[in-house]
């Protein structure tokens, strides 16, 4: 306990007027993807720029005043500063793509919620891929000018920093973030910070609100480390993914409920809420509560129907074990005070999280809860969409797996963030000076063919040289930290070669990502790496979760292999994988290796970043690479053919590691070292160009965000406008309709289905199918009758199916109605069909979401 009171004073940089704009620039993360903006800070003091972790706010507060005065008198610097200011002002004020394309759309706001954001190395509030993807999403939302805000948590200690002990065992530290020296602005009313609040087990927990400006998009971060809270609650936002389940659920309540309340405090009312993973799904309870307070005589189910219309849920997890689950008792303890006043029973609330389902083993599942509280849900690659539909099929038990209403939008990258300065300059010269404004234009990317091979190769070699220099520096620093002998530290300057084929592998060290696969046959690997005429080398980086002992063991085993004489100079492990390490690696390697167990990689984006910089992918056909490789098989190499079923994991590892070595020996290495008299690998460069033309226009977040807008945000905003207005009248009607449909659904009976033609017909001949359907107490407008048609496979199941609507012909006695459909078959072979009935209502875009379906069963 303090025995005296502390008065705080905020100290800010004393910038000369001529360069005062640097302060404004430092607080807009636009600099994180604009090379010219970052260069302004680096030019002041390159060493200090690296020392402060590329944080311009900290740098401006640390720089020698004499140096600032000198830069304020540098005419060349002032001219560059003026050009950057004009560019930023133009970016912030010009008419955006969204304003141009959707000027007639009713005004609405999208609020994006995520547990982490990897915006820049100097803002360490992220752990890995989810955070990087979230940040790139914001950057493209800014580029396109979407009506967008974002919400997250301000982690005082962030995610852990990694260092490796002498034996290779991962250790963790948690440096404290000084928010006042980060590009974050505290939201205030007058002199007092604006606060949001939540209730946790009978007490109120407050959070102040920090704003991070990401171009045009504000990101609001909640921080509980304030005097208004007790010591325990002050640590609620201390660490990302730290603590136990109790800490996790409290953080998720703060993110979802506290986050939505923070937007209200700020005067922002979102019509669409995008839950990026299930962490923020409790926001749906707050939306329901607000709706019920605003509209009298409305039930929980009515309010849920209305508010879910404006919620979108994205899952990034391809396995059930990766999803947050809580004991119902814990959920009731923390959430009871939120749902009890809404007149929903504990059992009904737990059922929304699937606690009643055998598949959840009695747990409250956050993904199931998010699905039940949203109107649109998607995976993050084509393959992940298939995996998600298979994983969650049991929520729609009568729906064919391929029709489970979970879509997909394949992830992308914010190309300007991840592209090297050198490659960006090439694109500006040979594609278009403003190539990044229309980065999804495939025709523009065809101009990559115009880049001379020699110029592209020299550019790539410069990046590899810088990567090798960076790796040597980081290795020397690690050895110095361990107290290594001076001779060993000096030897670090000789590891790797600036000219050798360089493979990169960097990711989270989870067991399914199989970092060990490359090392499975050490003798074969020695020959590959140590070929004097065609040398190969590898750079590795990545962290294991602090609680993941298996992941830590993998790192330790790799470090022991690297220490052997045959590998010491050929493989380097870079400690503390972060934004900066990732940038050096994706911009400098020749080959990006990824070998997870299919289909465990939901998407992955690191390979996209490497591809944009000219590296070639060597990967299992999983996640995004499954799509990219299908687009053009000359863009890289595939390990396997998409197999998923093996006798054992050992067999899978044996087969796929052997194929990995085979591809290296027979394809990758020969292609890289096949040089003509010019010393340039022409075939390799051809593949580089093909790869960039395939990856850049599609696997970028501008395309991704446009897809979210068209497929999810606009439909959600439209649905919200229909269901959220008029006191929830439309929502009440829809709930009443659902109740009527559910109550009477089992009375539907498909009595008879008849082919009006022969069982054997000629190709192209018109076929008529009739069905007698008994609707019971339901009206004809309540349903739609469909013919379900496809080819018959070897198991007697239908595949390659298509749907043909059946038209009502007449009503018969006994409540029967006759439906018919006419169609042609344009291929020979065995075909089959069935008839089904689905619900029909103008406010339900996809009837599969109801889970109600009646099939013909003779």
């Amino acid at each position: 306990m303090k025995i005296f009171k502390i008065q705080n004073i905020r100290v800010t940089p004393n910038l000369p007027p001529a360069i005062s704009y640097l302060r404004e620039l430092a607080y807009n993360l636009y600099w994180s993807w604009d090379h010219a903006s970052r260069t302004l800070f680096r030019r002041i003091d390159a060493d200090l720029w690296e020392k402060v972790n590329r944080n311009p706010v900290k740098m401006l507060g640390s720089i020698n005043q004499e140096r600032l005065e000198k830069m304020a008198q540098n005419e060349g610097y002032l001219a560059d500063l003026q050009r950057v200011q004009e560019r930023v002002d133009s970016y912030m004020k010009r008419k955006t793509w969204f304003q141009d394309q959707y000027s007639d759309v009713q005004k609405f706001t999208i609020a994006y919620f995520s547990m982490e954001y990897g915006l820049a190395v100097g803002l360490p509030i992220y752990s890995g891929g989810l955070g990087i993807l979230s940040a790139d999403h914001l950057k493209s939302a800014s580029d396109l000018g979407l009506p967008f805000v974002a919400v997250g948590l301000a982690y005082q200690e962030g995610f852990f920093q990694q260092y490796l002990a002498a034996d290779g065992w991962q250790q963790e530290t948690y440096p404290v973030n000084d928010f006042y020296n980060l590009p974050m602005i505290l939201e205030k009313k007058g002199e007092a910070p604006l606060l949001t609040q939540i209730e946790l087990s009978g007490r109120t927990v407050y959070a102040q609100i920090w704003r991070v400006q990401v171009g045009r998009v504000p990101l609001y971060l909640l921080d509980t480390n304030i005097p208004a809270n007790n010591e325990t609650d002050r640590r609620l936002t201390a660490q990302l993914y730290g603590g136990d389940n109790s800490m996790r659920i409290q953080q998720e309540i703060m993110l979802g409920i506290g986050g939505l309340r923070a937007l209200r405090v700020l005067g922002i009312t979102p019509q669409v809420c995008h839950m990026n993973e299930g962490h923020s799904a409790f926001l749906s309870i707050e939306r329901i509560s607000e709706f019920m307070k605003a509209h009298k005589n409305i039930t929980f189910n009515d309010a849920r129907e209305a508010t879910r219309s404006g919620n979108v849920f994205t899952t990034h997890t391809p396995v059930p074990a990766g999803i947050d689950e809580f004991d119902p008792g814990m959920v009731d303890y923390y959430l009871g005070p939120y749902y009890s006043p809404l007149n929903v029973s504990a059992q009904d609330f737990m059922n929304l999280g699937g606690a009643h389902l055998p598949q959840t083993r009695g747990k409250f599942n956050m993904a199931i809860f998010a699905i039940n509280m949203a109107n649109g849900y998607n995976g993050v690659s084509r393959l992940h969409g298939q995996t998600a539909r298979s994983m969650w099929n049991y929520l729609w038990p009568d729906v064919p797996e391929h029709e489970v209403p979970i879509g997909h939008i394949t992830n992308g990258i914010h190309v300007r963030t991840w592209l090297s300065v050198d490659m960006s300059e090439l694109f500006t010269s040979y594609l278009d000076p403003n190539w990044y404004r229309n980065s999804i234009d495939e025709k523009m990317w065809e101009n990559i063919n115009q880049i001379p091979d020699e110029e592209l190769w020299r550019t790539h070699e410069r990046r590899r040289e810088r990567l090798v220099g960076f790796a040597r520096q980081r290795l020397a620093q690690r050895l110095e930290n361990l107290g290594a002998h001076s001779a060993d530290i000096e030897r670090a300057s000789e590891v790797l070669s600036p000219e050798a084929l360089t493979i990169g592998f960097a990711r989270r060290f989870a067991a399914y990502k199989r970092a060990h696969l490359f090392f499975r046959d050490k003798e074969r690997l020695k020959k590959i790496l140590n070929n004097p005429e065609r040398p190969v080398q590898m750079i590795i980086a990545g962290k294991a979760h602090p609680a993941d002992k298996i992941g830590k063991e993998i790192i330790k085993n790799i470090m022991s292999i690297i220490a052997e004489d045959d590998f010491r100079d050929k493989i380097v492990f870079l400690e503390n994988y972060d934004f900066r390490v990732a940038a050096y690696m994706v911009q400098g390697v020749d080959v990006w290796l990824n070998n997870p167990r299919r289909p465990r990689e939901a998407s992955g984006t690191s390979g996209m970043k490497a591809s944009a910089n000219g590296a070639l992918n060597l990967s299992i056909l999983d996640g995004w690479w499954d799509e990219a490789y299908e687009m053009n098989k000359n863009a890289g190499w595939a390990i396997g053919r998409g197999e998923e079923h093996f006798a054992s994991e050992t067999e899978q590892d044996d087969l796929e590691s052997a194929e990995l070595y085979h591809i290296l020996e027979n394809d990758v290495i020969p292609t890289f070292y096949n040089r003509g008299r010019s010393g340039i690998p022409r075939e390799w460069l051809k593949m580089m160009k093909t790869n960039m033309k395939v990856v850049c226009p599609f696997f970028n977040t501008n395309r991704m965000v446009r897809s979210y807008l068209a497929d999810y945000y606009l439909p959600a905003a439209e649905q919200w406008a229909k269901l959220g207005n008029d006191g929830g009248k439309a929502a009440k009607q829809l709930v009443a309709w659902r109740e009527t449909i559910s109550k009477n659904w089992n009375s539907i009976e498909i009595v008879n289905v008849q082919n009006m033609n022969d069982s054997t017909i000629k190709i192209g001949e018109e076929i008529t199918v009739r069905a007698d359907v008994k609707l019971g107490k339901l009206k004809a407008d309540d349903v739609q009758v469909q013919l379900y048609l496809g080819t018959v496979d070897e198991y007697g199941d239908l595949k390659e199916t298509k749907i043909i609507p059946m038209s009502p012909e007449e009503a018969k006695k006994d409540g029967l109605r006759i439906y018919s459909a006419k169609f042609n078959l344009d291929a020979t072979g065995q075909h089959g069909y069935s008839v089904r009935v689905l619900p029909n209502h103008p406010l339900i875009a996809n009837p599969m979401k109801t889970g109600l379906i009646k099939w013909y069963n003779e």
Side-chain angles (χ1 to χ4, degrees):
M1 178 182 293
K2 294 184 177 71
I3 59 173
F4 52 88
K5 184 176 180 180
I6 297 176
Q7 300 280 7
N8 294 323
I9 300 175
R10 175 95 188 271
V11 180
T12 60
N14 183 17
L15 294 177
I19 58 172
S20 61
Y21 177 71
L22 287 173
R23 181 185 294 105
E24 181 180 339
L25 182 62
Y27 280 98
N28 190 322
L29 270 290
Y30 177 87
W31 56 259
S32 70
W33 67 85
D34 183 68
H35 297 306
S37 299
R38 289 200 304 277
T39 298
L40 288 174
F41 296 109
R42 186 184 296 109
R43 282 171 63 183
I44 297 175
D45 188 327
D47 292 337
L48 181 61
W49 174 249
E50 296 299 331
K51 184 178 179 180
V52 298
N53 221 17
R54 302 185 180 185
N55 172 5
V57 175
K58 177 70 172 177
M59 180 176 186
L60 293 178
S62 306
I63 196 72
N64 182 284
Q65 190 66 34
E66 183 179 343
R67 179 62 178 166
L68 291 175
E69 297 290 349
K70 185 175 182 180
M71 298 306 295
Q73 299 172 19
N74 185 318
E75 292 186 5
Y77 185 83
L78 295 179
D80 289 342
L81 177 61
Q82 179 65 29
R83 279 190 287 270
V84 166
Q85 182 172 356
E86 290 171 356
R87 177 161 43 202
V88 176
D89 288 345
S90 173
Y91 177 88
M92 297 294 289
K93 296 175 183 177
R94 68 170 179 254
K95 187 176 183 181
T96 68
W97 171 86
F98 178 81
Q99 292 169 335
D100 182 60
Q101 297 294 315
Y102 294 95
S103 58
D104 58 340
V105 172
Q106 184 176 350
K107 187 177 181 180
F108 71 104
T109 299
I110 305 154
Y112 181 91
F113 291 74
S114 183
M115 203 72 169
E116 53 174 298
Y117 295 89
L119 290 158
V121 65
L123 189 59
I125 55 170
Y126 64 96
S127 70
L130 179 69
I132 298 296
L133 185 279
S134 299
D136 283 8
H137 195 124
L138 267 57
K139 293 173 183 179
S140 280
S142 172
D143 289 343
L144 298 171
L146 268 64
F148 211 83
V149 299
V151 179
L153 301 181
Y155 302 106
Q156 196 80 59
E157 298 172 10
F159 200 56
F160 73 89
Q161 303 288 299
Q162 176 200 54
Y163 70 96
L164 302 181
D167 64 352
W169 188 256
Q170 175 181 291
Q171 304 287 328
E172 300 92 23
T173 61
Y174 292 86
V176 175
N177 289 323
D178 177 4
F179 294 155
Y180 289 97
N181 274 312
L182 288 172
M184 301 165 60
I185 298 171
L186 189 61
E187 292 290 343
K188 295 182 177 181
K189 185 176 182 180
E191 291 299 313
L194 287 175
L195 300 179
T196 185
Q197 65 187 64
I198 59 173
E199 292 71 43
L200 291 176
S201 60
R203 67 191 189 279
T204 300
V205 181
Y206 298 93
Q208 59 187 4
I209 307 165
W210 296 88
R211 174 170 53 86
V212 177
Q213 195 65 38
V214 186
R216 299 183 180 92
V217 172
L219 163 61
Y220 297 105
L221 302 175
L222 310 184
D223 169 24
T224 65
N225 186 19
I226 57 177
N229 294 325
N230 63 39
E231 289 300 319
T232 300
D233 293 335
R234 292 186 71 155
R235 290 196 56 78
L236 181 59
T237 56
Q239 293 181 0
L240 171 61
Y241 305 137
D244 56 12
N245 261 9
S246 176
M247 175 64 77
R248 178 65 67 89
I249 196 171
Q250 292 179 76
Q251 283 189 334
E252 295 185 359
I253 292 170
M254 178 58 79
L255 174 63
I257 296 176
L260 199 59
R261 290 178 177 180
L263 294 180
R264 291 285 188 265
V265 169
L266 294 161
I268 300 169
T269 302
Q271 286 69 46
V272 177
C273 290
H274 186 170
M275 302 176 287
N276 192 42
E277 265 303 353
H279 306 124
S280 60
F282 292 135
L283 69 83
S284 59
I285 298 302
E286 182 67 10
R287 294 198 86 177
I288 290 171
S289 177
E290 290 177 344
F291 197 84
M292 292 179 71
K293 289 175 183 176
H295 303 92
K296 294 181 179 180
N297 301 319
I298 195 165
T299 67
F300 176 86
N301 285 335
D302 295 339
R304 183 171 80 94
E305 192 66 60
T307 57
R308 71 184 296 193
S309 66
N311 293 339
V312 175
F313 166 56
T314 296
T315 174
H316 297 257
T317 308
V319 290
I323 295 166
D324 282 348
E325 291 183 329
F326 301 108
D327 290 326
M330 179 177 288
V331 175
D332 184 62
Y333 179 72
Y334 286 111
L335 273 299
Y338 292 97
Y339 67 72
S340 293
L342 307 180
N343 296 318
V344 57
S345 70
Q347 187 57 59
D348 286 344
F349 187 79
M350 297 308 154
N351 289 353
L352 290 172
H356 63 301
L357 299 171
Q359 291 87 348
T360 66
R361 308 168 314 284
K363 299 286 189 179
F364 184 96
N365 183 289
M366 290 300 288
I368 294 176
F369 182 69
I371 288 171
N372 281 322
M373 307 305 273
N375 196 40
Y377 5 90
N378 69 281
V380 290
S381 70
R382 182 184 63 186
L383 180 59
H384 181 230
Q386 297 170 9
T387 301
R389 288 188 286 276
S390 175
M391 189 165 80
W392 302 115
N393 201 166
Y394 66 83
L395 299 178
W396 297 271
D398 295 325
V399 176
E401 183 177 298
H402 70 278
E403 291 189 274
V404 168
I406 299 176
H408 83 272
I409 290 182
T410 301
N411 283 344
I413 62 167
H414 188 253
V415 179
R416 286 186 73 190
T417 294
W418 296 101
L419 198 67
S420 71
V421 177
D422 312 77
M423 197 64 72
S424 180
E425 290 174 351
L426 279 186
F427 288 176
T428 298
S429 298
Y430 292 98
L431 272 64
D432 186 313
N434 295 309
W435 59 268
Y436 45 83
R437 291 190 187 176
N438 195 22
S439 58
I440 67 171
D441 185 353
E442 293 183 10
K443 290 184 178 179
M444 181 195 70
W445 287 105
E446 286 293 326
N447 290 327
I448 281 179
N449 290 330
Q450 305 303 316
I451 303 175
D453 284 354
E454 292 79 4
E455 195 167 352
L456 178 59
W457 188 242
R458 283 197 302 271
T459 298
H460 181 65
E461 287 197 307
R462 281 197 301 272
R463 294 308 313 175
R464 191 193 315 113
E465 289 170 3
R466 289 172 190 163
L467 170 60
V468 168
F470 176 74
R472 289 170 172 173
Q473 178 186 8
R474 292 293 287 261
L475 176 59
Q477 184 63 56
R478 173 176 181 265
L479 293 172
E480 186 175 332
N481 292 341
L482 289 173
H485 192 276
S486 59
D488 291 329
I489 297 174
E490 291 176 8
R491 184 176 176 179
S493 64
E494 299 176 359
V495 303
L496 307 177
S497 165
E499 291 85 29
L501 171 62
T502 303
I503 300 171
F505 182 95
R507 54 206 1 95
R508 181 165 55 89
F509 270 74
Y512 78 88
K513 292 180 181 285
R514 298 193 297 177
H516 62 277
L517 204 67
F518 189 72
F519 301 92
R520 197 160 182 83
D521 187 339
K522 286 170 56 176
E523 293 306 314
R524 192 170 180 181
L525 182 59
K526 287 177 186 178
K527 294 178 182 178
I528 291 172
L529 297 180
N530 292 292
N531 185 322
E533 297 179 356
R534 303 188 304 183
V536 178
Q537 59 196 17
M538 188 177 196
I539 299 176
I540 307 171
K543 298 177 179 179
H545 188 279
D548 184 1
K549 292 184 178 180
I550 295 176
K552 290 184 175 183
E553 284 289 352
I554 294 173
I555 293 175
K556 182 179 179 181
N557 290 338
I558 289 175
M559 292 300 293
S560 68
I561 293 172
I562 292 175
E564 297 178 18
D565 288 340
D566 288 315
F567 300 109
R568 188 189 302 271
D569 296 333
K570 299 293 185 177
I571 306 174
V572 169
F573 190 105
L574 299 180
E575 278 182 327
N576 202 31
Y577 184 44
D578 63 5
F579 200 102
R580 175 167 42 186
V581 174
Y584 268 102
M585 290 186 68
V586 300
Q587 293 171 8
V589 299
D590 301 296
V591 173
W592 194 260
L593 176 64
N594 188 27
N595 41 237
R597 294 193 194 282
R598 176 183 162 121
R600 299 286 300 275
E601 186 90 301
S603 175
T605 57
S606 56
M608 303 175 193
K609 302 177 183 92
S611 291
N613 285 282
L616 300 180
N617 278 273
L618 171 57
S619 176
I620 296 289
L621 289 172
D622 200 7
W624 79 280
W625 185 240
D626 184 65
E627 291 173 66
Y629 188 71
E630 184 179 295
M631 290 179 180
N632 194 313
K633 292 179 171 56
N634 293 316
W637 295 273
I639 304 170
R641 295 168 180 79
E643 301 91 344
E644 294 179 15
H645 303 290
F646 297 85
S648 67
E649 290 187 351
T650 299
E651 181 195 46
Q652 181 181 6
D653 291 352
D654 287 341
L655 292 173
E656 292 182 338
S657 64
E659 182 164 5
L660 167 58
Y661 295 134
H662 178 82
I663 294 171
L664 284 171
E665 293 163 339
N666 295 280
D667 294 310
V668 178
I669 297 171
T671 305
F672 183 84
Y673 284 106
N674 182 16
R675 315 283 175 96
R677 294 178 61 185
S678 63
I680 293 175
R682 301 287 180 183
E683 188 60 30
W684 187 274
L685 282 157
K686 184 178 179 181
M687 291 184 70
M688 284 176 64
K689 291 180 178 181
T690 298
N691 189 26
M692 288 190 283
K693 288 187 295 181
V694 168
V695 172
C696 290
F698 184 80
F699 296 95
N700 71 69
T701 43
N702 279 18
R703 184 274 313 159
M704 182 191 81
V705 171
R706 287 190 188 194
S707 296
Y708 273 109
L709 179 67
D711 297 348
Y712 291 93
Y713 297 157
L714 288 175
E718 182 179 352
Q719 194 79 337
W720 173 262
K722 292 176 182 178
L723 296 178
N725 294 325
D726 299 326
K729 182 179 179 181
K732 290 180 180 180
Q733 293 173 347
L734 185 55
V735 169
W737 174 84
R738 282 184 187 270
E739 291 175 351
T740 299
I741 285 286
S742 298
K743 181 179 178 180
N744 294 285
W745 192 252
N746 288 332
S747 66
I748 297 174
E749 184 180 358
I750 304 173
V751 178
N752 182 51
V753 174
Q754 185 179 3
N755 175 8
M756 306 306 292
N757 302 71
D758 294 332
S759 59
T760 301
I761 56 103
K762 294 180 180 179
I763 191 170
E765 183 179 338
E766 186 176 73
I767 304 167
T768 301
V769 171
R770 293 179 60 179
D772 296 336
V773 181
K774 184 182 292 186
L775 297 180
K777 294 182 180 181
L778 296 177
K779 297 178 293 186
D781 290 343
D782 289 330
V783 302
Q784 51 183 303
V785 182
Q786 299 176 338
L787 186 74
Y788 188 75
L789 176 69
T791 57
V792 180
D793 65 16
E794 62 272 25
Y795 303 106
D797 296 323
L798 293 183
K799 62 179 183 179
E800 299 175 350
T801 57
K802 61 180 180 180
I803 308 302
I804 300 174
M806 301 188 77
S807 304
E809 288 190 352
E810 60 181 287
K812 299 175 68 176
K813 293 181 180 180
D814 303 323
L816 286 178
R817 293 189 67 92
I818 297 175
Y819 290 81
S820 67
K822 298 179 184 294
F823 60 95
N824 305 93
L825 294 173
D826 55 5
T828 60
Q830 189 77 357
H831 297 260
Y833 63 88
S834 187
V835 171
R836 67 187 188 182
V837 183
L838 297 173
N840 183 57
H841 192 282
L843 290 177
I844 295 181
N846 186 345
M848 293 300 177
K849 292 180 180 179
T850 67
L852 298 175
I853 185 168
K854 179 71 69 172
W855 291 92
Y856 173 60
N857 285 301
E858 192 174 18

